[in-house]
Amino acid sequence: MQVVLAAAEHLENLSVLFDLYRVFYQQTSDLESAKKFLYKRLQNRDSVIFVVNVENNLVGFTQLYPSFSSVSMKRVWILNDLFVQEVYRNKGVARLLMEAAENYAKETKAVRIVLATQIANTVAQKLYESRGYLKDEEFYHYTLRL
């Protein structure tokens, strides 16, 4: 297993993974839109995407979006997406992706990584907690759908 920073040459296979990720979250499959979305992220450098390659097959990815903390005046990375193909789960792929994201955050001198997961996704919660992530009990987070 090898973790690499996603680039244009990964777009086709990454789009398939991204589409599966969206379907996992009850979205309708739309491979073409997934590809366009990821192409723009890569082209505009709006996000950082790490992929895990197993025998020339992408089996998982994580996507980080940049933000900043006004209080600390430092970078924050939002770990927005983490997905591993079902047949590769429980084989250390997600852990490798988390390590890559955390190392990247440290290299870019970020103050923290933030993430959210569904309340019912206890498998992901166990992974995050095993890596030292803490559930926020100090702040409420609100969303306004537009």
Side-chain angles (χ1 to χ4, degrees), residues 17 59-61 82-90 93-94 97:
L17 278 179
V59 300
F61 78 96
L82 177 69
F83 181 76
V84 176
Q85 283 185 25
E86 193 167 352
V87 296
Y88 287 94
R89 292 181 188 159
N90 298 310
V93 175
L97 289 165

Side-chain angles (χ1 to χ4, degrees), residues 4-72:
V4 296
L5 195 58
E9 68 261 19
H10 300 111
L11 185 59
E12 292 295 326
N13 292 329
L14 178 57
S15 298
V16 172
L17 278 179
F18 189 71
D19 191 57
L20 290 170
Y21 166 76
R22 292 184 69 255
V23 169
F24 178 82
Y25 282 105
Q26 291 82 44
Q27 300 299 306
T28 303
S29 177
D30 187 347
L31 189 56
E32 190 59 35
S33 293
K35 184 176 176 181
K36 287 177 184 176
F37 178 83
L38 291 172
Y39 175 78
K40 286 181 182 178
R41 301 296 70 76
L42 293 170
Q43 181 182 35
N44 297 334
R45 298 182 184 189
D46 292 334
S47 69
V48 173
I49 306 170
F50 289 97
V51 294
V52 172
N53 185 330
V54 175
E55 299 174 0
N56 294 319
N57 183 30
L58 298 186
V59 300
F61 78 96
T62 191
Q63 183 164 210
L64 304 168
Y65 290 99
S67 187
F68 292 92
S69 165
S70 298
V71 174
S72 67

